[in-house]
Amino acid sequence: MARLRNRTFFSLVELNQAIRPLLKDLNERKMEHLEKSRRELFEELDQPALRPLPEKPYEYATSKTARVNIDYHVDFEKHLYSVPFTLVHEEVRIRASERMVEIYHSSQREPVAVHPRSHVPGRYSTQTIHMPPKHQKAGEWSGERLVRWASEIGPHTAQLIQSILSSRQHPEQAFRSCPGHLAACPANMLIPSWKTACQAAHEAKTLNYRGVKAVLEMLSTGIYPADYSPTFPRKHSR
């Protein structure tokens, strides 16, 4: 640098252009105590130990834990990503880079789900392979198909699903939450209990799974008979 002390530079580009020939001269110059140049030492000692650069550049990633919802999706920064339906209610670890979202479960080392990352809030990234077999046939859901599916369970279920669809500005926004309600009716559940829960949630305008689940929990305690329809306070919009 002493050779440049009397010069003035107005940019890093200009400075680097002046340093480059001096750096080459420095690396080629033999050091008296070693009788070798810096370049010779590099080629003899360092270069053989170098490893190839990674095929992909390093990507910064963030991690968080989440619990899988009943609709087999997890929330990451307000976007929902699907995982295998067998992991409903399980805890998973989400690793998100700038481009990808990987979801891991303790049962295996490889990710159970990989999605392109989306920054659109309130939307879903769903892979058909993650759906239960009953849902896979509904890959292109419609309001009519969901109501028809609910009718197979009972008229009160159909009425609840219809109310959920009607509560959204765009019915498509409810297409992912409706299967969660339908999947919540296991084959061994008493029909009167499910009927009561759907009817109470519909009347109270509690158009989500929590409302149905709350009634089912009360019925399971024996507080209410199966043919009783409890009434909940209506939600007030803010």
Side-chain angles (χ1 to χ4, degrees):
M1 297 300 291
R3 295 167 63 178
L4 302 175
R5 64 182 180 273
N6 295 323
R7 293 183 57 181
T8 302
F9 301 94
F10 297 95
S11 69
L12 285 176
V13 173
E14 186 181 356
L15 176 60
N16 286 330
Q17 288 175 345
I19 290 176
R20 188 171 290 110
L22 300 181
L23 182 61
K24 181 179 180 181
D25 179 66
L26 177 65
N27 288 334
E28 298 290 350
R29 187 188 310 158
K30 290 188 180 292
M31 296 178 283
E32 294 183 1
H33 61 294
L34 294 175
E35 297 184 351
K36 290 184 179 181
S37 67
R38 289 177 173 83
R39 176 173 294 280
E40 289 174 327
L41 290 174
F42 168 78
E43 294 174 348
E44 180 182 336
L45 301 176
D46 297 328
Q47 194 171 38
L50 294 178
R51 293 184 295 177
L53 292 174
E55 294 182 5
K56 298 180 180 179
Y58 173 78
E59 283 189 325
Y60 174 77
T62 58
S63 297
K64 64 168 286 188
T65 57
R67 194 165 294 279
V68 181
N69 197 12
I70 189 155
D71 64 353
Y72 46 88
H73 286 74
V74 292
D75 183 337
F76 182 78
E77 295 186 351
K78 299 183 180 180
H79 190 90
L80 295 107
Y81 300 90
S82 67
V83 300
F85 73 94
T86 53
L87 298 178
V88 167
H89 300 315
E90 293 284 330
E91 186 175 84
V92 294
R93 180 174 64 87
I94 303 172
R95 180 184 182 275
S97 64
E98 183 179 353
R99 296 179 299 173
M100 302 296 295
V101 171
E102 299 174 322
I103 304 171
Y104 295 83
H105 184 255
S106 58
S107 61
Q108 62 184 70
R109 296 183 61 181
E110 297 297 321
V112 295
V114 179
H115 296 269
R117 185 170 181 176
S118 173
H119 297 278
V120 181
R123 301 297 295 274
Y124 289 75
S125 295
T126 306
Q127 297 179 9
T128 303
I129 194 174
H130 295 158
M131 298 178 179
K134 192 173 183 179
H135 293 193
Q136 291 182 13
K137 296 180 180 179
E140 295 181 357
W141 286 328
S142 66
E144 294 78 7
R145 176 171 289 186
L146 288 168
V147 172
R148 191 162 58 246
W149 181 8
S151 299
E152 296 176 2
I153 300 174
H156 291 85
T157 305
Q159 187 180 38
L160 176 62
I161 295 301
Q162 184 63 64
S163 297
I164 294 173
L165 293 169
S166 300
S167 69
R168 307 297 178 92
Q169 183 177 2
H170 302 287
E172 292 81 5
Q173 296 173 344
F175 284 2
R176 302 301 183 185
S177 61
C178 288
H181 290 75
L182 300 176
C185 182
N188 62 350
M189 181 177 290
L190 295 176
I191 295 301
S193 299
W194 181 255
K195 168 187 171 182
T196 301
C198 289
Q199 184 177 5
H202 170 72
E203 292 176 355
K205 304 298 182 186
T206 312
L207 303 178
N208 54 52
Y209 175 65
R210 290 184 180 180
V212 179
K213 184 179 179 182
V215 184
L216 291 173
E217 289 177 348
M218 286 189 291
L219 292 172
S220 66
T221 62
I223 298 176
Y224 300 104
D227 59 352
Y228 181 76
S229 297
T231 301
F232 296 110
R234 290 174 177 266
K235 282 189 173 182
H236 296 281
S237 57
R238 298 181 180 177

